[in-house]
Structure formats: C-alpha cells, structure tokens
Amino acid sequence: MRTFRSLPSRFRQQSSNAALRHYNSPSNPSRTIVFPKRIIICRHGESKGNVSDSAYVTTPDWLIPLSPKGVLQSTALAHNIKRIVGDESLYFYTSPYLRTKQTTNEMLNLMKPQTLGVREEPRLTEQQFGNFQNVVDVREQKSERIKYGRFYYRFPLGESGLDVYNRASSFINTLYRDFEDEDIVKDENTNIVIVCHGLTMRLLLLRFFHFTVTDFERSENIDNAKYVIMERLEQKKIKRKKRGVFQLNENSLKLLKFPPNKLDEDQEAQVSQKGVNELMKEMRRAGLSSLSDPAEHIKYWTKKPFGL
C-alpha cells in the first residue's frame, strides 16, 4: 500500500550539518551516509525467450541472450536514462543473466565516463522455473500459478514468488549499507541503476515499499527495456516526517499498476489492523461473499489476467 520507504531505525539520527539526504553512518560516525538522488530499476530488453519459450528447452535460462530487437530496445533505454540523469554519476547493479548484462552493456557504451562502477548481483536473478524446461509443462504450471496465486505458487524444482521476495529483502539491506560507501554513492547527485527482470522488479518494490501481497497479485510487469524511478524526497515534501524516504513517481505506479495512495504517519501505524478489513471490503464490492471458500478465491484472483 505504501509508495514510499522509510529509513531503517539505525539511519534516523540526522547529521547536524546536513540536509535530509545525509545521515550519520552507524559503522563510522565521522562519515555521513549520502542517499542517491534516484534509484532507477530497469527491465532487460527483449530476449530470445520472450520471442519463443522453446528457447529454454536447450539453453539455460541464465544464458538466454537478447533478441536483435532487444539490443535496439536496450540502446533506446540507454538514451532514455541519459536524458534523465544528464552528466550525473551512476552506479549499476545487474542480474548475472546474459540478457541483463547485455542490457547493462548498452548503457555503459553510452555512459561509461560517468559510471562509478558495476556490480553483478545474484539476488537480482529471475525467478527460477527449473533447469532445462519442458515447454508444455511450464505452460501448464504458469496457468496453474494464475489460479493459485503468483506470490505463493512454487514451480517444481524452482522458486515461489516468496523465495524471490526473501532474496530481494536481503539485497535491500546490502543496498542501504552500500550508501555508506563513497565509491558507490559519490555525492547527493549520484544515481543507482538496477537492471533485472519483470517479476523480480515487482517483488523488490513489494518489499521496498511494503505493498501487500494483494497489491502484488494485481500488479503487472512493465514491458521489456522499460524502467521505473524511485526519487529521493526532500523533507519539506513529507508531512510530519523527519526521516528520509524514496518514492515511486506517478508514471511508475501506473506502469506497474501498484496502488497510488500514499500513507501519512497515522495511517502507516494502522496498516496491519486495516489490511484484512480492506481486503474483505474489496471482495464484497466485487460480489464475493467468503474468504474461506477456495472457489471464491479462484474467482477473485482470476477476474483479469495478470502480467507474467
């Protein structure tokens, strides 16, 4: 439900001579943490697996390359990011998959002089569907996943959405520690660029902004070579808050179909109590009568197709 992320409690002691974007480092009090101006999360360009799922039969998922169209899309993505950041510095985190590294490489071809570094991050990989894939089996499993729910459904020999969520949680902790490193966040105009996969992106944002599982189930992947932007907000834009936050811009929320409503401090404290009541009201508005009837659940979650 939230479209912002508050700082962990250990970061909330503000530096006496700094604005909202600077906080004392817990590990080194003499240095301030500098939060990046933006975190831009990109989906890789079109891959050969996006063109035909038969590619997964003989090629490991992590070695599926971009299609020719995907290369062009990645070049266009690089120019779009360049227009946003100008000459500001960048630091990249990329999934180890070939298609994400190829997408990152297209951006480096254009913006290498302003790039502070690139890190290959295994926790950003695609959801695991198994090893070499049987096309018919995987299609049936994806159809079953829609009925069961994308967050909890586990692929045989693979991962559930919850598994991806857990490794995304671990990555966010690392990301915040990295903000203490001046080699990664050089100054307040540094931009973080994360290149990953559609479902991984949604689960990363689910964890980062504390959206609900219901929000996730109703969200959709953005298209190949598209991106969402998390912007650092200044204190004057945050009512009654003394903590630094990031916020997804409105266009990003629309692309993902995450809820646009923002919570103030009082609402934030009541989310846990209201969550079930809000879901029940929503289901009643949809004409569903029971939370306990599995048939009602299937009817609810399959009202519309969800993005893969």
Side-chain angles (χ1 to χ4, degrees), residues 147-294:
K147 296 179 181 179
Y148 191 88
R150 295 175 183 276
F151 187 76
Y152 291 110
Y153 182 84
R154 180 181 298 281
F155 286 89
L157 304 178
E159 288 183 303
S160 66
L162 176 59
D163 295 328
V164 182
Y165 175 90
N166 286 335
R167 52 180 164 89
S169 299
S170 173
F171 169 70
I172 289 171
N173 291 335
T174 299
L175 189 66
Y176 267 78
R177 287 195 298 272
D178 285 349
F179 293 162
E180 301 180 42
D181 190 340
E182 58 189 1
D183 292 330
I184 294 175
V185 182
K186 178 182 177 182
D187 55 39
E188 63 190 36
N189 290 317
T190 299
N191 296 270
I192 298 295
V193 180
I194 298 172
V195 186
C196 59
H197 310 265
L199 186 132
T200 305
M201 175 191 296
R202 288 159 57 206
L203 288 163
L204 180 65
L205 294 169
L206 173 71
R207 176 63 182 87
F208 205 100
F209 293 111
H210 300 251
F211 289 112
T212 67
V213 173
T214 304
D215 295 330
F216 168 76
E217 293 288 355
R218 303 187 71 175
S219 67
E220 296 180 0
N221 283 354
I222 65 174
D223 292 337
N224 291 112
K226 300 298 183 182
Y227 56 89
V228 298
I229 301 175
M230 298 162 50
E231 298 169 333
R232 185 190 67 216
L233 296 185
E234 303 300 335
Q235 188 169 6
K236 62 183 179 181
K237 296 183 180 179
I238 307 170
K239 231 178 181 181
R240 300 198 310 274
K241 286 198 176 288
K242 298 180 181 179
R243 296 173 288 179
V245 298
F246 292 97
Q247 180 170 288
L248 278 167
N249 65 23
E250 292 300 318
N251 185 60
S252 298
L253 288 168
K254 290 177 182 177
L255 286 173
L256 293 157
K257 292 184 169 52
F258 273 133
N261 51 306
K262 305 173 182 64
L263 303 181
D264 62 26
E265 200 164 56
D266 295 331
Q267 290 173 315
E268 185 180 342
Q270 299 173 22
V271 167
S272 58
Q273 289 88 9
K274 288 187 174 180
V276 173
N277 290 336
E278 289 174 354
L279 177 58
M280 292 178 69
K281 287 178 183 177
E282 182 177 342
M283 292 183 74
R284 283 197 292 270
R285 285 196 298 270
L288 308 177
S289 58
S290 173
L291 282 170
S292 60
D293 183 352

Side-chain angles (χ1 to χ4, degrees), residues 47-49 55-56 58-67 95-102 120 125-126 128 131-133 197:
S47 73
K48 290 186 176 180
Y56 300 105
T58 57
T59 305
D61 192 2
W62 67 284
L63 293 177
I64 297 287
L66 293 177
S67 67
S95 158
Y97 277 39
L98 178 57
R99 53 189 180 270
T100 48
K101 292 199 289 185
Q102 287 176 317
E120 184 177 296
T125 60
E126 176 66 288
Q128 302 300 290
N131 299 315
F132 292 110
Q133 299 174 21
H197 310 265

Side-chain angles (χ1 to χ4, degrees), residues 74-75 77-79 81 90-94 100-119 193 195:
S74 299
T75 301
L77 171 63
H79 286 277
I81 300 301
L90 300 165
Y91 191 93
F92 286 88
Y93 295 85
T94 179
T100 48
K101 292 199 289 185
Q102 287 176 317
T103 302
T104 301
N105 190 61
E106 292 300 318
M107 288 190 270
L108 291 174
N109 287 340
L110 181 64
M111 296 179 283
K112 189 173 182 179
Q114 65 201 86
T115 298
L116 299 173
V118 181
R119 180 185 299 174
V193 180
V195 186

